[in-house]
Amino acid sequence: MSERQSGSPFAADQEVDCRGMRCPLPIIRLANQIGEVLLGQSLAVVAEDPAARPDVAAWCRMRGHEYVGEDTAPDGVPRYVVRRLV
Amino acid sequence: MNVVVDYVGNGVPGSATPGDQPQSGPGRNVGYFDSASAEPLHPAARDSLLAALDSGFADPLGLHRPGRNARLLLDNAREVVAACLNARPDEVVFATSGAAAVHAGVLGLLAGRARISTRLVHSAVEHSSVIQAGAWFARSFAGSTDVVPVDAWGRVSPDAVAAALQSPAGLLAVQSANGEVGTIQPIPSVLEVSGEVPLFVDFAATAGRLELPPGWSAAAAGAHQWGGPAGVGVLLVRKGSRWRPPFPADDRADPRTSGFENVPAILAAAAGLQAAVAEREERNARQRRLVERIRDRVAATVPDVEVFGDPVDRLPHLLSFSCLYVDGEALVGELDRLGFAVASGSACTASTVTPSHVLEAMGALTHGNVRVSLTRDTTVEEVDRFLDVLPGTVARLRERAGVR
């Protein structure tokens, strides 16, 4: 079950900065970057694009990863955390 | 300057004159798959429109022969529409668009029960005209709105409706089917739990295609989705339901609508609906086979794709899917360049940065979305040509976007 929290309570092993990008670029960046973390490690996507919220979760479902939850980066931009499972 | 009637060589099915067959290439349609936005005018609607332009121009309230003639055409249209929708003629109101009919239906029912409650409960996947009418009412009359969630197919659960109706409500709004993903809503089950709360049904997606389920207090649709002309909406207000005029009164005969009736367009809308209903069994069966073909081929030939909506209990003519890593606007543009007209619910299209609230409510992938909706004369050849070019088009866009 994913959660939404303010601040950055979700630890992430790596972060992808997608500020200023529009859909589907944040998801493409996420997909290209996921191989850079080990199985079981997590990757955070920081993006203002409102489509990133549903699409990061949908990407996890389609590609077999875990959607951990949403919090915010220090500058207030939403941050979506994913755990690599495959 | 002359009035221009055709900018790019119209290849919309049904409108091409003999000897002017659509060709491929920019501006030429080899497949028009956007009937959920606008179905080409049905030939029966076209004939009625052309005839009534000359015979139905006068004021139907006029106390003279041309006025009486317009009145007869209007009454005839009302009776035809009533018969097609299992309603009484005096329950049928013509509005200037589907959205105007929705606004009058939603707001009139809310006004009628405002002393009991000003709270609107609606499904998360209602058309924006329903949602915006509710938001406007809430702002204007200190009302409130509550949203009932849907499942991954976009279907509202009667249990969730029942939970939302634990608190007093002025109105419940649930569509007959969703026009973006095709899922049919369980109106009969919703009615089992809605009790005294009146039900508004937006039936734009099913009008002329599927029976309108009974039990509505008001219902609304627009004619352009069933093959009538644009600019005609139908509002049904159930006799005996508490509906109050939400807009300034008009001196014309019917308090449920306002303005001078467009009699030729209304007659054409009625003729189009009658024809669509008469043909629907055959057309629905044919369209279901084509949609099934699209569903199978898209799932088999396009990697990383999500096909939406209930696979069985769905609209016959429409299918929506999203392609991972693809920009929806670019995909619509590429397909248009190849001669195919489709719609998209993705953000970055339709001049909005927010994705479709329908796809978001379903938890679906919102980018790379395509909605294919077939017209009454879409052929298997048109569908196959589309299915032939789709996988390559998606692959090209992914490569261009730097997907590894």
Side-chain angles (χ1 to χ4, degrees):
Chain A
M1 191 62 206
S2 63
E3 303 171 60
R4 186 186 300 189
Q5 307 217 3
S6 58
S8 296
F10 298 118
D13 296 288
Q14 279 192 44
E15 201 167 276
V16 203
D17 181 5
C18 299
R19 289 179 182 85
M21 293 181 192
R22 291 187 49 185
C23 73
L25 279 179
I27 309 303
I28 293 174
R29 285 296 189 86
L30 167 62
N32 287 345
Q33 199 70 25
I34 193 73
E36 305 297 317
V37 301
L38 300 172
L39 282 180
Q41 286 192 331
S42 56
L43 179 62
V45 180
V46 181
E48 301 107 334
D49 175 21
R53 181 168 293 123
D55 286 357
V56 170
W59 178 84
C60 289
R61 180 167 42 73
M62 291 174 77
R63 305 297 305 186
H65 301 290
E66 182 195 348
Y67 180 58
V68 177
E70 172 187 346
D71 56 20
T72 47
D75 59 355
V77 175
R79 179 174 174 272
Y80 309 96
V81 181
V82 165
R83 191 183 321 281
R84 182 181 171 195
L85 295 185
V86 288
Chain B
M1 178 162 180
N2 293 325
V3 172
V4 178
V5 295
D6 193 349
Y7 279 97
V8 288
N10 193 337
V12 172
S15 69
T17 48
D20 179 27
Q21 288 306 308
Q23 318 261 314
S24 63
R28 287 284 175 177
N29 249 305
V30 290
Y32 175 80
F33 302 134
D34 197 14
S35 66
S37 295
E39 171 85 22
L41 200 60
H42 192 288
R46 179 188 208 78
D47 291 347
S48 295
L49 181 65
L50 293 176
L53 283 173
D54 289 327
S55 60
F57 70 93
D59 184 351
L61 297 181
L63 301 173
H64 40 63
R65 187 194 298 262
R68 281 193 298 278
N69 201 33
R71 178 86 217 175
L72 284 174
L73 296 181
L74 189 58
D75 288 345
N76 173 239
R78 197 183 305 281
E79 278 166 32
V80 166
V81 168
C84 290
L85 301 176
N86 305 317
R88 296 162 44 123
D90 60 358
E91 294 174 330
V92 175
V93 184
F94 294 111
T96 51
S97 70
V102 165
H103 292 166
V106 168
L107 297 174
L109 288 175
L110 280 168
R113 252 171 78 92
R115 271 187 300 178
I116 297 166
S117 171
T118 53
R119 177 171 169 259
L120 168 67
V121 173
H122 66 77
S123 89
V125 294
E126 292 303 303
H127 187 262
S128 62
S129 58
V130 173
I131 296 172
Q132 295 295 345
W136 183 85
F137 186 86
R139 278 198 306 275
S140 307
F141 303 102
S144 62
T145 55
D146 275 306
V147 178
V148 181
V150 295
D151 64 15
W153 280 345
R155 176 167 291 132
V156 69
S157 113
D159 288 347
V161 172
L165 295 182
Q166 295 275 307
S167 322
L171 179 63
L172 170 66
V174 180
Q175 63 199 186
S176 58
N178 186 272
E180 283 187 46
V181 297
T183 295
I184 292 173
Q185 301 296 351
I187 298 291
S189 311
V190 164
L191 282 163
E192 282 173 26
V193 301
S194 59
E196 303 251 294
V197 180
L199 175 69
F200 173 82
V201 177
D202 164 16
F203 70 108
T206 55
R209 304 180 188 278
L210 303 171
E211 288 261 355
L212 174 61
W216 42 266
S217 292
H224 61 98
Q225 280 178 288
W226 70 60
V232 178
V234 167
L235 167 65
L236 305 176
V237 180
R238 179 62 82 202
K239 198 168 170 57
S241 66
R242 288 181 62 84
W243 184 96
R244 294 291 172 268
F247 302 129
D250 192 344
D251 284 345
R252 297 181 71 79
D254 189 336
R256 298 167 298 184
T257 188
S258 63
F260 190 103
E261 298 85 354
N262 185 347
V263 174
I266 288 170
L267 191 75
L273 181 61
Q274 191 173 44
V277 168
E279 297 165 356
R280 77 175 154 203
E281 237 177 277
E282 179 275 328
R283 186 191 61 239
N284 286 357
R286 188 159 39 83
Q287 291 182 332
R288 275 185 205 285
R289 283 194 297 276
L290 292 176
V291 163
E292 203 53 38
R293 190 182 187 89
I294 300 170
R295 175 182 284 272
D296 291 347
R297 282 275 299 276
V298 166
T301 61
V302 181
D304 288 320
V305 70
E306 263 199 320
V307 183
F308 299 132
D310 192 318
V312 180
D313 203 6
R314 60 177 301 104
L315 290 174
H317 65 301
L318 179 158
L319 189 72
S320 171
F321 53 89
S322 286
C323 308
L324 198 53
Y325 312 131
V326 173
D327 176 344
E329 183 171 10
L331 183 51
V332 170
E334 258 322 91
L335 290 170
D336 177 52
R337 204 179 54 79
L338 296 167
F340 299 98
V342 299
S344 173
S346 294
C348 324
T349 57
S351 65
T352 172
V353 293
T354 48
S356 151
H357 68 283
V358 172
L359 298 179
E360 192 164 7
M362 291 161 50
L365 187 71
T366 70
H367 69 245
N369 179 251
V370 169
R371 181 188 66 187
V372 177
S373 53
L374 310 180
T375 71
R376 59 187 287 274
D377 43 19
T378 298
T379 63
V380 67
E381 289 77 20
E382 288 172 321
V383 164
D384 281 353
R385 278 198 290 269
F386 172 73
L387 292 170
D388 287 343
V389 305
L390 181 70
T393 306
V394 170
R396 258 197 321 280
L397 289 172
R398 282 175 174 160
E399 197 185 330
R400 205 183 295 167
V403 178
R404 290 205 286 268

